Amino acid sequence: MLVSKNSLEPSQHVRKSAWLEHAPFAFWVMQELRPRTVVELGTHNGFSFLSFCQAAKGGGIGTKIYAIDTWQGDEHAGLYESEVHDSLRAELLKEYPGIGTMVRSTFADARPQFADGSVDLLHIDGRHRYEDVLEDFQSWESALSDRAVVLFHDTRVETGDFGVWKFWAEISAAHPNFEFHHGNGLGVLVVGKKAPEALKALCALTPEEQAVNRMLYSRLGLVNSLDHQIDVAREQLGVIGEQAKLLTADRDRIANAFEQHRQAMDMMLSSTSWKLTAPLRLANRAGARIPQLASMMQMLATRHGGYARLAQRSLNILRRDGLAGGKTAWARAKALRHGGNPLSGNDYESWLKRYSGLDEVGREKIRSEIASWEKPPLISVVMPVYNPEVDWLKEAVASVQAQLYPSWELCIADDQSTSEHVRPLLEKIAAADPRIKVVYRATNGHISEASNSALELASGSWMVLLDQDDLLTEDALYYVGRAISREPNVALIYSDEDKIENGRRYDPYFKPDWNPDLLRSHNMVCHLGAYRMDHVRAIGGFRKGFEGAQDYDLVLRFSEGLLPGQICHIPRVLYHWRSHSGSTAQSGSNKNYAAIAGQTALNEHLHRTGLAGHIEILPTGMYRARYDLPPNPPKVSLIIPTRNGLRLLRQCVSSILEKTTYPNFEILIVDNNSDDHATLRYFDEIRLHERVKVVRDGQAFNYSAINNKAVSLVDGEYVGLINNDIEVVSPDWLSEMVAIAMQPKVGAVGARLWYPDDRLQHGGIILGIGGVAGHAHKMLRRGEHGYFSRGELTQTLSAVTAACLVVKKSTYELVGGLDAENLKVAFNDVDFCLKLREAGFRNVWTPYAELRHHESATRGVEDTAEKKERFQSEVLFMLRRWEKLLMADPAYNPNLTLEYEDFSLAWPPRNDIDPTLAS
C-alpha cells in the first residue's frame, strides 16, 4: 500500500472542486517525486494548484509550481468573471509567495516559457474534449523531464463531449500507469525513465493491491468533499437562522395588527405584498423545524460514526442515486429513528442490475481461462428428487446445463416419487444429455439415502449439492473449478447464496470466510457447497436419521481435521434457493425437525472433537454452544485502568463484585495519576475487599503500557481487560468468556456491550470500516437479530474490543501484549487481536456475555495538535502493518459495505478483479 504520513494531512483550501478527493494523492506524489517544476494546465478556482503548493511548502521541497489558465472559463466549467483569478492570486501571494506562479495565458502561448525537459509533473485538467487533451499532451510532451509524471483528470467521465477517458485508454497503453476511479477519475502516467521507484511501484501493483490503494485514497479524499459540504451546510443554516429571526418578528407584528385592525388584516390578506412574502413565511416554517432536523442529524451522526462520515455517506447516495435516492435514504433514516429496521433500505435488485451483469465479453473471458487449465476436474452435481414441481425441476436441470464450466455431470436419484409426471420427465432429460445420470430407488428412504444413491452414480473428483427446485448461476462451477485449480490442497469450497421467487432474487447471505464458531451457531456453509469426493466417501456420505440437517451433519464431519487453508470461500452468490410455502428458504420453522437434527449433529460434533459442552436451540432456530468449565475454574485477573472517574469506577467494580457468578477472580485497579480526593478515598476503601487490589501507575497516559505492566503484576491464568465505564448485565458473563477462552487455539474473547439506551455498542470488530475498523451492528436495538442473526450468534471475528476482553495470560505475553510504542491510545486492541490471529489463534465474540458500556463518558477527544498528530500516526501504522487484512476482513464479505456498520450492501462490491463485480 503506497501511502505516507503526508497523505493524511488535511487540505487547507477546501472549496467546490471535482479535484477535492485527489488531494491526499497529490501530497503523496509531491513527496515521492519531489519535482523541480510543476505545471498545471487548467486551474479555475485553484484547489489542485493550491494542494500542490501546500505539499511543496509542508514538505520543504523547493518546487516551482505554475498554474496556466485564461481564467475566463469554457463550455465545460462555465464562463466566469475576473474575480476568480483575483481572489486566487491574493490567496497565493498570502500563503505561497515564491512557490506558486499564476500564468494568465492559453496553454499553447505559455509553452515557449518552459524549456524542453524542464517539467517533472504535468497536470492536464483544462479542456476536456478528446482532440483538446491530445493537443495539450502533444504540445507539452517535449517539456517533460526524464523523471516526469503526467496527471489526467476526469478519466472516468464519459458524458457529453468529454473525451479524456478515450485519450487515457490510448496513452496508458504506451507507458506505465495507474488510474484512480473516484473523484471523476485521475490517471497517473509515468513518462520519465528515471522516475522514482515509488511511482514505478504504483504502476506495478497487482490487481488486488490496486483495489486496496484505490479504496484507501478514495476514503481519504472524501474527507475534503465532506468538509466542503459541511461548510456549505453551515452557511445555509446561518442564512435560515437569520431569516427565522426576521420572520418571527414579522409574525409578531402581524399578530398584533390582526387583533387591533381586523378589517385592515382582511385587506392585507388580499394585497399583492402579502402574496409576495409567501416565500418568507415558508422559510419561517422551515426554521421552526430546525430543532427536529438537529435531533435527526445528531442521531444519524451517532449511528454513522460522526458528522464527517455521515456527510460522506450522504454524498455517496446523492452521487449514485440522485435526489430520489436522497429522499429514500431520508425516509429510511426517519424509520430508523422510530425503531425501523436499518437494513430495509438495501436495494438488492438495483445492486444486481448495476454489478452482476455477465455479458458475452465476460463469458468469453471465463471460457478462455477455463481452456488454459491443465486438468479441469470433473464435478458431480448431486441431486436427490422426490415429487418435485415439474417446471422447477426443469429449471434446476437447465441451470446445470447452462454452466460455462463444461466438465460436469448431473447425478439424480429419484426417491420413489409417487407423482406420475416425474419418471417420464427424468427419462427424457437423461436420454437427451449423456452428462445426466438417473437412478430410480426401489424404496423411499428420504433425503439422506437418496443423496447417497445419487453419490453412487458419481465419477467426478468433486461433489456439488443441488436441491431439486433450486438454481445455480451460470458461472457457479467456473468459480468452483477456479478455486480447485488455484489451491491444489483445497478440500471444501462454499459460496454465498440468495433466494429466488417468481424470478426475483432477494435476501442475499454474504458469508464470512471459514468461521468455525459461526458454523456451530448455524450452517453458514450450506449452498453452494463443493466437497472433495474421496473425503466424502471416506466419511460415509450422508447419515440416515439427520434428515433436514443432512448437509449440516455432512459439513461438520467433513471439516473436522481440515486445516483452514483447505477450506475456500467464494464471496459471490452462486446459488439461488427457491422460496415457496414448504421450503426452508421461506421459513426455517417449516422444518422444525431439521433444527432438532442439527442439534444432534452439533452435539456429536462436540463429542468427536473432544469439546466438553452441549448445544441449545435458540428461538430463531439457530444454536448456542455452551462449553463446560472445569470443576476448579482457573483464576482470572480483571484489570481496570482509571484516572479519577469515581462514579463510573464505583459502578463498574460494584457490578462485578455483586453480580458475577464466576467463582475465581480478582480485580486489579490501576490508578493512573488520579488526583480527585474522593477517588483516592475510594481506593483506600475498596482495597480492603478480599478480591480487589489497587496499584499506582505514575507514567503518562499510555493505555497499552498501563495494561502491559498490570498483566505482568497479576498471577491469574487468564486476564481480563476491562474499561472503568463497564457495568455487568448478565451474571454469567465471565463464565461464558472463560469457557470459550479455554477452547483450543482461542486467543481473545470479546463480549456483547450495550449502550445505556439498549442499543448495541460492540458486536465485535469489523476491519476496514472507516479506514481501520468499526463495530459490527453498532446501534442495533436489543431484541433485533442483525444480519442473518450474526448480532446474536457466537462467531470467530478478526478482533474484539479491549473494553471487555478475556485472554490467557501466557498467550497475551506470547505476542507481546499491546503495542505501547506505536499504539498508545487507539487501535491497540485491534492490533493485539491481529497479532493473535497471525500467531495461529482465533478471536471469538460471544453475545452471551452481556455488559453495559457507558462509552465516551471518560474518553477525551482529539482536540489538540499533539493528539491529532498522534492519532494520525496510529492510523498510518495500522494501514502499513495490516493493509491486506484491513481491506479484506476474513470475518466479513467484500459485497458488504465499509461505510456503515450495519452489514448493508457495498456500492460497489470489492470484487474488482473478476469478470463481474458480483454474480
Side-chain angles (χ1 to χ4, degrees), residues 786-821:
Y787 184 73
F788 281 83
S789 292
R790 287 187 64 178
E792 60 178 8
L793 297 179
T794 305
Q795 59 201 271
T796 308
L797 290 175
S798 293
V800 293
T801 181
C804 183
L805 179 154
V806 171
V807 63
K808 196 170 186 177
K809 180 181 177 181
S810 60
T811 304
Y812 184 98
E813 294 172 333
L814 175 69
V815 299
L818 305 183
D819 189 336
E821 179 179 353

Side-chain angles (χ1 to χ4, degrees), residues 245-261:
K245 290 179 183 178
L246 293 172
L247 292 167
T248 299
D250 185 52
R251 180 196 61 197
D252 292 341
R253 286 193 297 272
I254 292 172
N256 290 334
F258 180 80
E259 293 296 331
Q260 298 175 19
H261 306 284

Side-chain angles (χ1 to χ4, degrees), residues 32 176-177 192 220 228 240 251 257 269 290 313 317 321 342 399 504 555 616 661 694 799 803 811:
E32 296 296 336
N177 67 87
L220 292 175
H228 174 64
I240 291 173
R251 180 196 61 197
L269 291 173
I290 287 176
R313 178 62 175 172
I317 291 172
D321 302 322
S399 76
R504 183 180 71 89
V555 75
E616 298 176 354
T661 57
V694 181
T811 304

Side-chain angles (χ1 to χ4, degrees), residues 712-788:
S712 70
L713 297 176
V714 299
D715 58 3
E717 184 179 350
Y718 288 80
V719 294
L721 307 186
I722 308 293
N723 275 18
N724 69 346
D725 55 357
I726 291 293
E727 180 185 4
V728 172
V729 174
S730 57
D732 62 347
W733 69 280
L734 190 53
S735 300
E736 168 73 8
M737 296 180 77
V738 174
I740 295 174
M742 293 182 68
Q743 301 308 309
K745 302 305 291 183
V746 169
V749 179
R752 177 155 62 167
L753 305 181
W754 297 98
Y755 283 119
D757 66 353
D758 277 346
R759 291 180 185 266
L760 189 64
Q761 185 270 326
H762 178 250
I765 289 175
I766 300 297
L767 305 178
I769 292 179
V772 177
H775 293 279
H777 291 116
K778 191 171 184 178
M779 304 306 291
L780 189 73
R781 286 180 175 273
R782 184 184 285 275
E784 294 179 345
H785 308 308
Y787 184 73
F788 281 83

Side-chain angles (χ1 to χ4, degrees), residues 54 99 128 198 229 237 246 330 385 468 481 563 670 739 827 830:
Q54 178 184 339
I99 296 177
H128 289 79
Q229 292 297 318
L237 286 173
L246 293 172
W330 184 254
V385 167
Q468 64 186 18
L563 299 174
V670 184
F827 307 123
V830 178

